Amino acid sequence: MSEHTPVDVDGQIEAVSRRLDTGERDGRPTLVSTISQRYATTVEDLWDACTSTERLPRWFAPVTGDLRQGGHYQVEGNANGTIETCEAPRSFSATWEFGGGVSWIAVRVDPDGDGARLTLEHSAPADMEAEFWKRFGPGATGVGWDMALLGLAQHLHAGASMPQEVDGWERTDEGRRFVTASSARWGECSVTLGTPRGQAEQARDRTTAFFLGEQPPAED
């Protein structure tokens, strides 16, 4: 890694765009979190980093299974699901099955100037998410995706060979700043979508505490 330039972790917050929308799937309303970042690499390299079982553990997590359309995958210690579509090297979509619930991810890689842009949409049934959303807001998944994009930046730009958050990184001063800032940005996205600010800020604070391993604020 010494021959690479480390990623500015604080600047990473500004490098990422985040958005919340409502949508629909199979006639059911959904909540859609979108996160996107441009990387100084090619479409082909970015696609490979996001789909190679050899590279994924360097910035995200080990992923096993049949990584092609119709195949089933497992993220170690996290979600599993079925790959619904795959059009290399530009896009794939899959179910995201975790904790007894099913949501969906859609990943797109596009040219962006002399680099490439990764865009990830995570959609979940609005009725399934209602109580969870009220308690934790979009940051519950959004902060995790922010960490993943940071890990990808470290891998592509700094040659990192393991995810950013290993060994309790999120409890370091740098990690705490990153988690707090990411959670705050997702809280503002929630306000923009129409969540009352007080509710969005309480959810933000509970999410921040969760990722930092702290006692969450009492619920009203």
Tab-separated table of all heavy atoms in Angstrom, residues 156-188:
chain	number	residue	atom	x	y	z
A	156	LEU	N	-9.471	0.594	-4.475
A	156	LEU	CA	-9.132	1.061	-5.816
A	156	LEU	C	-8.019	2.105	-5.815
A	156	LEU	O	-7.162	2.106	-6.695
A	156	LEU	CB	-10.378	1.649	-6.489
A	156	LEU	CG	-11.489	0.653	-6.843
A	156	LEU	CD1	-12.727	1.405	-7.325
A	156	LEU	CD2	-11.020	-0.338	-7.904
A	157	HIS	N	-8.034	2.996	-4.831
A	157	HIS	CA	-7.097	4.125	-4.834
A	157	HIS	C	-5.865	3.887	-3.979
A	157	HIS	O	-4.812	4.461	-4.242
A	157	HIS	CB	-7.811	5.405	-4.350
A	157	HIS	CG	-8.936	5.813	-5.252
A	157	HIS	ND1	-9.823	6.830	-4.912
A	157	HIS	CD2	-9.334	5.360	-6.460
A	157	HIS	CE1	-10.709	6.970	-5.891
A	157	HIS	NE2	-10.431	6.083	-6.828
A	158	ALA	N	-6.013	3.090	-2.928
A	158	ALA	CA	-4.893	2.925	-1.997
A	158	ALA	C	-4.388	1.492	-1.921
A	158	ALA	O	-3.507	1.188	-1.123
A	158	ALA	CB	-5.310	3.407	-0.599
A	159	GLY	N	-4.956	0.609	-2.723
A	159	GLY	CA	-4.482	-0.766	-2.747
A	159	GLY	C	-4.842	-1.573	-1.526
A	159	GLY	O	-4.195	-2.584	-1.236
A	160	ALA	N	-5.882	-1.172	-0.792
A	160	ALA	CA	-6.258	-1.888	0.429
A	160	ALA	C	-6.617	-3.329	0.119
A	160	ALA	O	-7.189	-3.639	-0.919
A	160	ALA	CB	-7.428	-1.180	1.100
A	161	SER	N	-6.280	-4.211	1.055
A	161	SER	CA	-6.545	-5.629	0.854
A	161	SER	C	-7.491	-6.198	1.902
A	161	SER	O	-7.616	-7.404	2.054
A	161	SER	CB	-5.237	-6.426	0.885
A	161	SER	OG	-4.563	-6.223	2.118
A	162	MET	N	-8.155	-5.311	2.667
A	162	MET	CA	-9.156	-5.748	3.630
A	162	MET	C	-10.135	-4.600	3.842
A	162	MET	O	-9.802	-3.440	3.611
A	162	MET	CB	-8.522	-6.165	4.961
A	162	MET	CG	-7.789	-5.072	5.697
A	162	MET	SD	-7.010	-5.680	7.228
A	162	MET	CE	-5.857	-6.895	6.556
A	163	PRO	N	-11.385	-4.905	4.275
A	163	PRO	CA	-12.371	-3.844	4.482
A	163	PRO	C	-11.908	-2.810	5.494
A	163	PRO	O	-11.149	-3.109	6.418
A	163	PRO	CB	-13.601	-4.608	4.983
A	163	PRO	CG	-13.429	-5.988	4.444
A	163	PRO	CD	-11.941	-6.233	4.492
A	164	GLN	N	-12.406	-1.593	5.314
A	164	GLN	CA	-12.015	-0.476	6.175
A	164	GLN	C	-12.350	-0.732	7.638
A	164	GLN	O	-11.575	-0.400	8.524
A	164	GLN	CB	-12.728	0.801	5.709
A	164	GLN	CG	-12.416	2.048	6.527
A	164	GLN	CD	-11.019	2.564	6.262
A	164	GLN	OE1	-10.538	2.462	5.141
A	164	GLN	NE2	-10.377	3.133	7.259
A	165	GLU	N	-13.529	-1.334	7.903
A	165	GLU	CA	-14.021	-1.372	9.278
A	165	GLU	C	-13.571	-2.571	10.089
A	165	GLU	O	-14.124	-2.831	11.165
A	165	GLU	CB	-15.557	-1.307	9.289
A	165	GLU	CG	-16.254	-2.486	8.650
A	165	GLU	CD	-16.525	-2.288	7.168
A	165	GLU	OE1	-15.818	-1.484	6.540
A	165	GLU	OE2	-17.424	-2.953	6.647
A	166	VAL	N	-12.582	-3.324	9.620
A	166	VAL	CA	-12.104	-4.457	10.416
A	166	VAL	C	-11.418	-3.959	11.688
A	166	VAL	O	-10.959	-2.823	11.767
A	166	VAL	CB	-11.120	-5.333	9.600
A	166	VAL	CG1	-11.824	-5.947	8.409
A	166	VAL	CG2	-9.898	-4.545	9.169
A	167	ASP	N	-11.388	-4.832	12.690
A	167	ASP	CA	-10.676	-4.560	13.946
A	167	ASP	C	-11.164	-3.307	14.656
A	167	ASP	O	-10.384	-2.561	15.248
A	167	ASP	CB	-9.157	-4.462	13.692
A	167	ASP	CG	-8.571	-5.755	13.150
A	167	ASP	OD1	-9.089	-6.821	13.533
A	167	ASP	OD2	-7.620	-5.694	12.353
A	168	GLY	N	-12.483	-3.054	14.576
A	168	GLY	CA	-13.043	-1.950	15.338
A	168	GLY	C	-12.683	-0.572	14.833
A	168	GLY	O	-12.682	0.394	15.608
A	169	TRP	N	-12.409	-0.453	13.529
A	169	TRP	CA	-12.041	0.855	12.972
A	169	TRP	C	-13.071	1.928	13.285
A	169	TRP	O	-12.725	3.080	13.559
A	169	TRP	CB	-11.863	0.739	11.450
A	169	TRP	CG	-11.742	2.070	10.763
A	169	TRP	CD1	-10.624	2.836	10.655
A	169	TRP	CD2	-12.792	2.803	10.119
A	169	TRP	NE1	-10.912	3.996	9.971
A	169	TRP	CE2	-12.236	3.997	9.636
A	169	TRP	CE3	-14.149	2.552	9.900
A	169	TRP	CZ2	-12.988	4.947	8.944
A	169	TRP	CZ3	-14.908	3.493	9.213
A	169	TRP	CH2	-14.313	4.664	8.747
A	170	GLU	N	-14.372	1.554	13.271
A	170	GLU	CA	-15.417	2.553	13.475
A	170	GLU	C	-15.361	3.163	14.875
A	170	GLU	O	-16.011	4.183	15.132
A	170	GLU	CB	-16.799	1.947	13.215
A	170	GLU	CG	-17.244	0.896	14.205
A	170	GLU	CD	-16.704	-0.494	13.875
A	170	GLU	OE1	-15.834	-0.625	12.979
A	170	GLU	OE2	-17.136	-1.456	14.534
A	171	ARG	N	-14.562	2.594	15.797
A	171	ARG	CA	-14.437	3.155	17.143
A	171	ARG	C	-13.184	4.009	17.299
A	171	ARG	O	-12.954	4.564	18.372
A	171	ARG	CB	-14.479	2.026	18.174
A	171	ARG	CG	-15.838	1.343	18.244
A	171	ARG	CD	-15.837	0.164	19.209
A	171	ARG	NE	-17.157	-0.441	19.315
A	171	ARG	CZ	-17.680	-1.300	18.450
A	171	ARG	NH1	-16.970	-1.659	17.390
A	171	ARG	NH2	-18.892	-1.795	18.617
A	172	THR	N	-12.380	4.115	16.234
A	172	THR	CA	-11.263	5.051	16.256
A	172	THR	C	-11.805	6.467	16.052
A	172	THR	O	-12.960	6.654	15.663
A	172	THR	CB	-10.254	4.728	15.142
A	172	THR	OG1	-10.876	4.964	13.855
A	172	THR	CG2	-9.783	3.281	15.232
A	173	ASP	N	-10.978	7.479	16.303
A	173	ASP	CA	-11.429	8.858	16.099
A	173	ASP	C	-11.866	9.067	14.651
A	173	ASP	O	-12.899	9.695	14.388
A	173	ASP	CB	-10.308	9.837	16.457
A	173	ASP	CG	-10.062	9.928	17.953
A	173	ASP	OD1	-10.931	9.467	18.732
A	173	ASP	OD2	-8.997	10.444	18.346
A	174	GLU	N	-11.086	8.540	13.718
A	174	GLU	CA	-11.416	8.673	12.307
A	174	GLU	C	-12.723	7.960	11.989
A	174	GLU	O	-13.598	8.498	11.295
A	174	GLU	CB	-10.286	8.093	11.459
A	174	GLU	CG	-10.495	8.186	9.960
A	174	GLU	CD	-9.343	7.540	9.206
A	174	GLU	OE1	-9.204	6.294	9.278
A	174	GLU	OE2	-8.599	8.264	8.535
A	175	GLY	N	-12.861	6.756	12.503
A	175	GLY	CA	-14.069	5.987	12.257
A	175	GLY	C	-15.302	6.625	12.862
A	175	GLY	O	-16.380	6.640	12.258
A	176	ARG	N	-15.174	7.153	14.069
A	176	ARG	CA	-16.307	7.812	14.715
A	176	ARG	C	-16.752	9.031	13.910
A	176	ARG	O	-17.953	9.271	13.761
A	176	ARG	CB	-15.929	8.221	16.144
A	176	ARG	CG	-15.754	7.054	17.106
A	176	ARG	CD	-15.305	7.549	18.477
A	176	ARG	NE	-16.341	8.395	19.062
A	176	ARG	CZ	-17.360	7.946	19.760
A	176	ARG	NH1	-17.498	6.646	19.972
A	176	ARG	NH2	-18.263	8.765	20.255
A	177	ARG	N	-15.796	9.805	13.410
A	177	ARG	CA	-16.164	10.969	12.589
A	177	ARG	C	-16.905	10.520	11.339
A	177	ARG	O	-17.898	11.130	10.941
A	177	ARG	CB	-14.918	11.762	12.187
A	177	ARG	CG	-14.239	12.496	13.308
A	177	ARG	CD	-13.306	13.587	12.781
A	177	ARG	NE	-12.386	13.106	11.758
A	177	ARG	CZ	-11.200	12.557	12.010
A	177	ARG	NH1	-10.807	12.384	13.270
A	177	ARG	NH2	-10.405	12.162	11.028
A	178	PHE	N	-16.418	9.450	10.723
A	178	PHE	CA	-17.034	8.980	9.484
A	178	PHE	C	-18.453	8.488	9.734
A	178	PHE	O	-19.386	8.876	9.013
A	178	PHE	CB	-16.188	7.862	8.869
A	178	PHE	CG	-16.717	7.364	7.562
A	178	PHE	CD1	-16.410	8.019	6.379
A	178	PHE	CD2	-17.542	6.243	7.508
A	178	PHE	CE1	-16.915	7.566	5.171
A	178	PHE	CE2	-18.053	5.793	6.300
A	178	PHE	CZ	-17.728	6.456	5.126
A	179	VAL	N	-18.633	7.633	10.737
A	179	VAL	CA	-19.963	7.103	11.044
A	179	VAL	C	-20.923	8.226	11.401
A	179	VAL	O	-22.070	8.263	10.921
A	179	VAL	CB	-19.874	6.080	12.193
A	179	VAL	CG1	-21.263	5.767	12.750
A	179	VAL	CG2	-19.195	4.807	11.708
A	180	THR	N	-20.479	9.157	12.225
A	180	THR	CA	-21.344	10.265	12.647
A	180	THR	C	-21.752	11.119	11.457
A	180	THR	O	-22.923	11.507	11.325
A	180	THR	CB	-20.630	11.117	13.709
A	180	THR	OG1	-20.295	10.296	14.834
A	180	THR	CG2	-21.512	12.262	14.175
A	181	ALA	N	-20.794	11.421	10.578
A	181	ALA	CA	-21.095	12.245	9.410
A	181	ALA	C	-22.010	11.521	8.434
A	181	ALA	O	-22.950	12.110	7.888
A	181	ALA	CB	-19.802	12.653	8.715
A	182	SER	N	-21.754	10.231	8.210
A	182	SER	CA	-22.614	9.457	7.312
A	182	SER	C	-24.035	9.396	7.856
A	182	SER	O	-25.009	9.631	7.123
A	182	SER	CB	-22.058	8.040	7.140
A	182	SER	OG	-22.995	7.197	6.505
A	183	SER	N	-24.180	9.097	9.128
A	183	SER	CA	-25.498	9.011	9.738
A	183	SER	C	-26.237	10.339	9.638
A	183	SER	O	-27.441	10.387	9.363
A	183	SER	CB	-25.358	8.587	11.203
A	183	SER	OG	-26.617	8.400	11.799
A	184	ALA	N	-25.503	11.444	9.817
A	184	ALA	CA	-26.120	12.771	9.717
A	184	ALA	C	-26.624	13.037	8.301
A	184	ALA	O	-27.722	13.588	8.109
A	184	ALA	CB	-25.120	13.843	10.133
A	185	ARG	N	-25.842	12.638	7.292
A	185	ARG	CA	-26.264	12.861	5.904
A	185	ARG	C	-27.523	12.064	5.578
A	185	ARG	O	-28.431	12.558	4.909
A	185	ARG	CB	-25.143	12.485	4.941
A	185	ARG	CG	-23.892	13.362	5.071
A	185	ARG	CD	-24.188	14.826	4.827
A	185	ARG	NE	-23.032	15.661	5.030
A	185	ARG	CZ	-22.154	15.998	4.089
A	185	ARG	NH1	-22.305	15.529	2.853
A	185	ARG	NH2	-21.143	16.782	4.362
A	186	TRP	N	-27.585	10.823	6.042
A	186	TRP	CA	-28.786	10.036	5.788
A	186	TRP	C	-29.980	10.596	6.555
A	186	TRP	O	-31.120	10.549	6.070
A	186	TRP	CB	-28.547	8.574	6.155
A	186	TRP	CG	-27.714	7.865	5.136
A	186	TRP	CD1	-26.417	7.447	5.261
A	186	TRP	CD2	-28.114	7.508	3.807
A	186	TRP	NE1	-25.984	6.860	4.099
A	186	TRP	CE2	-27.004	6.875	3.191
A	186	TRP	CE3	-29.291	7.654	3.083
A	186	TRP	CZ2	-27.060	6.400	1.876
A	186	TRP	CZ3	-29.348	7.179	1.776
A	186	TRP	CH2	-28.247	6.565	1.190
A	187	GLY	N	-29.729	11.154	7.735
A	187	GLY	CA	-30.812	11.811	8.462
A	187	GLY	C	-31.386	12.984	7.696
A	187	GLY	O	-32.611	13.175	7.648
A	188	GLU	N	-30.518	13.766	7.050
A	188	GLU	CA	-30.991	14.893	6.243
A	188	GLU	C	-31.755	14.406	5.017
A	188	GLU	O	-32.728	15.033	4.587
A	188	GLU	CB	-29.816	15.780	5.835
A	188	GLU	CG	-29.226	16.582	6.978
A	188	GLU	CD	-30.264	17.465	7.668
A	188	GLU	OE1	-31.025	18.168	6.946
A	188	GLU	OE2	-30.330	17.448	8.907
